[in-house]
């Protein structure tokens, strides 16, 4: 009896399965943990192999080899069907992990759209299931494929327009001329790509969601504003008077554009005359999403800057700094700060200038030595300081009666920027006239020195707190 057991083939199959299954599970578990630590895409195929294929394969061998169950038995067919299906899923998962999920950037494998992968997976599963039912269960699947083929032809002829759009969309997706998040300028709309499906591309525009069929994009030319990366530029055309010096106009436009917060810092702005009183300003921006905000701010700032420099934007001019307005500003704002009497005020009025700045404009730049003092007549000004990582933090705010440029007397560079929070009206007094007033009242120099140190100390404290 014992000799018959050892000479039977089923005994060795049973012992092999009893030993091989635990050993295989332990080995696959260690492999699974190692792949998970490396965040490998092969974790899912190995998990399928460990949790499903290995136990089912052991069960199938146990039935057919150890227990000698006939291959035509229902239990063997059911287990064999499960094993074949898991092998099919494992094959698809392994191919997807090795070819597509781990594909290097820029290769054809990385550019293959998910739709193509899904369609291919569906076809492989359909063919695999047909083969499983044919070889394991003996089913006749040829009639099913014939019926499916005839049905596909009928559906294709009925829906040829829709199918054409789908094919156009698939071909365009394979080429990948754009990705989600890119900005497109098409013949029908301009916006950001938020969705791409088999039939259409969805663009988020300023007026709503624009649905553009893939066949329209595939048959027309369009511009991808987001590619190449870091090359997007905004072009703005302005008109000035023929009497305005072109060099002065271009310098003013370039200076205003350079102060825009949306400007890409690694590229320079460029302004040039086009003839017939027109000027073109090219502004490099980080993203097409900033076009609207940057253009609005630029045109607003140019309006104020042109009037400050006596230029005629759109061939229009205007007189803002009248002697009466300057006298009123000197009397209410400058005189209390500089402690000016009536005679001093009358002497200063011809040498003072009244100017306006738009919201967001720069009144003072970090690192420059002021050539004049600036007194705020109306509006608010925000003082900013730069941290080590390049970000700006708010140091303080000045409102009516405040002043900037007090370091003009000590010839010290300012440590922060000053931006207009809203429309700001200021009075400028040149350095030599401030010196004259200070010589008449030496205590002012001490007060200015104290103000400079207080602001610097406050700025250092704010910057230190921001860096911690």
């Amino acid at each position: 009896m014992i000799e018959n057991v050892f000479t039977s083939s089923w005994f060795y199959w049973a012992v092999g399965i009893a030993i091989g299954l635990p050993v295989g599970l332990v080995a696959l578990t260690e492999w699974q943990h190692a792949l998970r630590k490396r965040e490998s895409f092969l974790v899912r195929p190995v998990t399928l192999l460990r949790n499903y294929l290995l136990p089912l394969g052991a069960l199938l061998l146990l039935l057919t080899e150890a227990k000698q169950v006939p291959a035509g038995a229902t239990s063997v067919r059911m287990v064999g069907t499960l094993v074949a299906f898991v092998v099919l899923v494992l094959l698809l998962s392994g191919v997807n992990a090795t070819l597509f999920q781990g594909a290097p950037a820029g290769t054809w494998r990385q550019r293959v759209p998910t739709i193509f992968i899904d369609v291919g997976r569906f076809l492989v599963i359909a063919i695999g299931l047909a083969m499983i039912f044919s070889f394991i269960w003996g089913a006749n699947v040829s009639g099913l494929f014939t019926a499916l083929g005839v049905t596909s032809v009928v559906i294709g002829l009925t829906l040829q327009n829709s199918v054409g759009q789908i094919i156009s969309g698939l071909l365009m997706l394979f080429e990948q001329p754009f990705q989600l998040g890119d900005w497109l300028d098409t013949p029908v709309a301009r916006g950001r790509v938020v969705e791409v499906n088999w039939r259409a591309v969805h663009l988020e525009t300023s007026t709503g969601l624009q649905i553009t069929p893939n066949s329209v994009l595939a048959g027309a030319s369009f511009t991808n504003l987001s590619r190449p990366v870091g090359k997007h530029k905004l072009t703005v055309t302005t008109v000035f008077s023929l009497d305005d010096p072109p060099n002065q106009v271009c310098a003013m436009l370039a200076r205003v554009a350079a102060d825009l917060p949306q400007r890409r810092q690694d590229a320079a702005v460029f302004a040039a005359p086009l003839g017939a009183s027109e000027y073109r300003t090219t502004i490099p921006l980080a993203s097409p999403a900033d076009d609207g905000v940057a253009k609005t701010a630029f045109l607003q700032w140019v309006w104020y800057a042109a009037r400050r420099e006596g230029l005629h934007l759109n061939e229009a001019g205007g007189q803002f700094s009248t002697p009466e307005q300057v006298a009123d500003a000197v009397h209410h704002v400058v005189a209390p700060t500089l402690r000016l009497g009536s005679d001093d005020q009358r002497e200063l009025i011809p040498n003072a200038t009244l100017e306006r700045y738009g919201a967001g404009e720069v009144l003072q730049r970090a690192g420059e030595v002021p050539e004049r003092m600036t007194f705020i007549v109306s509006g608010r000004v925000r003082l900013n300081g730069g941290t080590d990582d390049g970000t700006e933090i708010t140091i303080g705010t000045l409102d009516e009666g405040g002043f900037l440029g007090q370091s003009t007397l000590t010839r010290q560079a300012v440590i922060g920027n000053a931006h207009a929070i809203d429309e700001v009206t200021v009075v400028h007094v040149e350095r030599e006239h401030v010196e004259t007033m200070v010589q008449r009242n030496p205590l002012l120099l001490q007060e200015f020195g104290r103000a400079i140190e207080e602001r610097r100390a406050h700025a250092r404290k704010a910057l230190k707190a921001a860096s911690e």
Side-chain angles (χ1 to χ4, degrees), residues 5 17 69 73 90 178-179 202 211 291 296 329 336 343 416 427-428:
V5 170
I17 293 172
V69 178
L90 179 63
F178 54 82
Q179 298 176 347
H202 296 196
I211 311 299
D291 283 5
T296 300
D343 294 339
V427 175
H428 294 303

Side-chain angles (χ1 to χ4, degrees), residues 129-330:
L129 289 177
M131 295 177 63
I132 290 173
F133 283 107
S134 176
F135 287 103
I136 296 179
W137 296 94
N140 184 12
V141 296
S142 59
L144 177 61
F145 279 106
T146 303
L148 290 176
V150 174
T151 304
S152 299
V153 172
V154 174
I155 293 176
L157 293 175
T158 306
L159 303 176
Q160 55 181 334
N161 291 332
S162 300
V163 172
Q165 292 184 2
I166 292 175
I167 298 300
S168 299
L170 292 177
L171 293 176
M172 187 172 61
L173 289 175
F174 184 77
E175 183 185 358
Q176 282 194 343
F178 54 82
Q179 298 176 347
L180 290 179
D182 285 356
W183 283 77
L184 302 184
D185 188 3
T186 71
V188 294
R190 172 191 172 105
R192 184 171 63 91
V193 179
V194 295
E195 182 181 349
V196 181
N197 54 40
W198 290 25
R199 192 190 71 84
V201 175
H202 296 196
L203 298 178
E204 184 181 31
T205 67
S206 58
T207 57
L209 195 64
Q210 175 73 35
I211 311 299
T212 304
N214 291 330
S215 57
V216 174
L217 287 181
S221 62
F222 58 88
T223 304
N224 189 338
L225 301 176
S226 299
R227 298 185 187 180
V229 178
K231 298 297 183 180
H232 178 65
K233 297 179 181 180
L234 171 67
T235 301
V236 183
T237 302
T238 50
V239 177
F240 287 82
S241 172
L242 290 174
D243 297 330
D244 294 331
N247 288 343
Q248 185 181 356
V249 173
C250 291
M252 183 272 295
L253 292 173
R255 184 171 59 253
V256 171
D259 288 334
L260 290 172
Q262 298 83 13
R263 180 180 70 87
R264 199 170 65 248
Q265 299 300 319
D266 60 347
V269 300
F270 181 74
L274 300 178
S277 306
E278 291 187 346
Y279 294 81
R280 175 182 295 164
T281 306
T282 304
I283 310 169
L285 299 180
S287 169
D290 298 329
D291 283 5
V293 177
K295 184 176 181 179
T296 300
F298 176 73
L299 292 177
Q300 288 178 349
W301 292 3
V302 166
W303 188 91
Y304 289 96
R307 280 155 176 77
R308 289 197 302 269
E309 299 195 17
L311 302 175
H312 303 83
L313 178 64
N314 295 327
E315 300 185 357
Q319 184 67 24
F320 174 68
S321 180
T322 63
E324 293 78 12
Q325 291 175 316
V326 173
D328 184 69
V330 169

Side-chain angles (χ1 to χ4, degrees), residues 374-443:
T374 301
F375 300 86
I376 302 174
V377 178
S378 64
R380 295 174 299 160
V381 175
R382 180 176 61 252
L383 303 179
N384 294 338
T387 59
D388 295 336
D389 59 0
T391 60
E392 286 194 353
I393 63 169
T394 300
I395 297 175
T397 303
L398 301 177
D399 50 18
E400 181 178 345
F403 56 87
L404 299 166
Q406 64 274 15
S407 61
T408 185
L409 297 173
T410 58
R411 309 306 293 165
Q412 291 176 285
V414 295
I415 62 174
N417 298 319
H419 297 268
I421 298 178
D422 44 25
E423 185 180 76
V424 175
T425 302
V426 300
V427 175
H428 294 303
V429 181
E430 299 300 324
R431 179 175 183 271
E432 57 270 19
H433 302 297
V434 177
E435 284 182 340
T436 301
M437 300 302 166
V438 169
Q439 289 174 359
R440 297 176 184 176
N441 188 357
L443 292 178

